[in-house]
Amino acid sequence: MVIKMYICLDCRKIFDEPEIEYGEQLEYFGVPCREETLVCPNCKGVIKETLKCDYCGEYIEGDYIKLPDGQIVCDECYTVKNILD
């Protein structure tokens, strides 16, 4: 079973359960409703689902690469090189 993990784009906290923030009361076709937004439980910031690095096992906080065999590798586990360097 894969557990979804999230990262806050504001405070960089990683967590598994976002908080639900409810918007203002709206009405669609006569039915009352509220818009729900998933936010960071720490700072109420914008969140994004994150992935786990297949090399080190840490959750990815920035850049990553996906190898042809499907493995996900965080920016701490690879170094970008150029043949001219």
Side-chain angles (χ1 to χ4, degrees), residues 59-71:
Y59 285 98
I60 297 171
E61 296 184 28
D63 293 332
Y64 69 95
I65 58 173
K66 185 173 183 179
L67 301 176
D69 65 0
Q71 287 189 319

Side-chain angles (χ1 to χ4, degrees), residues 11-82:
C11 72
R12 310 304 288 175
K13 181 176 172 74
I14 294 176
F15 51 91
D16 62 351
E17 197 169 320
E19 189 171 301
I20 299 173
E21 191 171 82
Y22 297 96
E24 64 182 88
Q25 183 75 32
L26 303 172
E27 190 174 308
Y28 290 107
F29 302 105
V31 178
C33 59
R34 287 186 169 210
E35 186 174 299
E36 295 179 357
T37 305
L38 298 178
V39 296
C40 173
N42 187 52
C43 73
K44 310 295 186 254
V46 177
I47 64 170
K48 181 84 175 152
E49 192 172 336
T50 188
L51 305 166
K52 192 179 238 185
C53 176
D54 291 323
Y55 275 49
C56 69
E58 295 294 320
Y59 285 98
I60 297 171
E61 296 184 28
D63 293 332
Y64 69 95
I65 58 173
K66 185 173 183 179
L67 301 176
D69 65 0
Q71 287 189 319
I72 303 293
V73 184
C74 74
D75 62 355
E76 296 291 322
C77 292
Y78 74 85
T79 304
V80 177
K81 296 284 189 177
N82 186 307

